[in-house]
Structures are given as structure tokens and as C-alpha cells.
Amino acid sequence: MAMTMNGEVQLAAPREAVWAKLNDAEVLKACIPGCEELEKTDDGGFRATAKMKVGPVSARFKGKVTLSDLDPPNGYKISGEGEGGVVGFAKGGAVVKLAEKDGGTLLSYEVEAQIGGKLAQLGQRLINGAAKKLADEFFANFAKAVQG
């Protein structure tokens, strides 16, 4: 099952500061809902563990996150894939763009994700709702982290 999402958030911080936070493992770990572990790997990516609940299904995903198409301080592509054991898998990516706007930074994103296994059987509406909630939570947390 595949899904796409996009959105934008206005941040009251300079683009360079937002860029730095987007590349900081501690900030990302604090912002990702359910994230238990996020550590930088030698190849410039991250190893991650996150606990997620989607409807009646709860799972701990272990996976890796890769940053590519780096264009400081304008944006990058972040991709990840995680295994949730018997509940299935999730993989996807987001193109993140930063632009100066109204004395701060406009962060826009386009997400593509795929899920499989038991998770995919939950139905498109439930999955889309959960994905949107996770994205909204991440960006609300990120806005707080950036604005201190």
C-alpha cells in the first residue's frame, strides 16, 4: 500500500539554524514520535528504533535512515525503511525544502511511503490518518525545537 502527503510549516528561525537542526540526531530523535533510538552511522545516515501504534496494531520498527541530494541550507531527501517483525514493514522518503519567508523559514515537504504486511490490512483511511498525525506531531515538535 502506497501513500503520499505534503505540507509546509512556517518556522520563526533563520534557514541556516533550521538546516542545522534537520541534521542533528538529538533534535530529530526528540521530534520523531515514538523514537527510542537514533544514532548517526559512518555513512552519514542514521540507525533508528521507533515504537508506533496504528489503530489496534503496535510495533517496534528497527531500520535505517539515509540523507541524500544534500543542498545546504536549501534542503535534502530523507529516506528510511524499517522492519516491524510480524506486523510488516514501512519504507519511504521525504523531499524537504527550506526557503526564506517573512523573516523566518518556510519548510515544505513531500512524503511518499509504502507499507506491507499486517499494517497494510488496516485500510487506507486508518493508515493515512495515522501517517498524517505522525507528520503533524513531528513538525509541531520540530517547530518547538527550532524556536527554542
Side-chain angles (χ1 to χ4, degrees), residues 1-140:
M1 177 189 300
M3 67 188 121
T4 57
M5 241 185 328
N6 56 43
E8 53 186 42
V9 59
Q10 176 70 28
L11 302 166
R15 194 165 48 158
E16 285 74 15
V18 175
W19 174 259
K21 300 259 191 225
L22 274 177
N23 287 279
D24 184 323
E26 286 305 308
V27 171
L28 293 175
K29 179 183 176 188
C31 295
I32 297 168
C35 189
E36 297 174 342
E37 182 182 35
L38 186 73
E39 54 189 50
K40 246 185 178 4
T41 55
D42 294 337
D43 59 6
F46 303 94
R47 187 172 32 257
T49 304
K51 191 171 184 184
M52 304 275 170
K53 184 166 172 43
V54 180
V57 178
S58 189
R60 178 172 277 114
F61 287 90
K62 287 182 180 284
K64 61 181 183 173
V65 176
T66 313
L67 304 179
S68 59
D69 301 341
L70 296 166
D71 180 17
N74 304 308
Y76 62 36
K77 180 173 181 169
I78 183 166
S79 310
E81 56 186 85
E83 280 294 327
V86 294
V87 300
F89 70 88
K91 66 180 179 181
V95 174
V96 178
K97 293 184 179 143
L98 303 176
E100 290 177 15
K101 183 178 177 199
D102 299 335
T105 303
L106 181 69
L107 183 157
S108 57
Y109 61 92
E110 283 181 43
V111 178
E112 278 185 35
Q114 289 179 306
I115 57 165
K118 267 190 190 170
L119 273 178
Q121 296 168 3
L122 291 174
Q124 190 82 32
R125 269 187 43 206
L126 184 60
I127 296 294
N128 283 348
K132 175 146 180 36
K133 184 176 174 261
L134 286 171
D136 289 347
E137 229 175 285
F138 171 82
F139 286 107

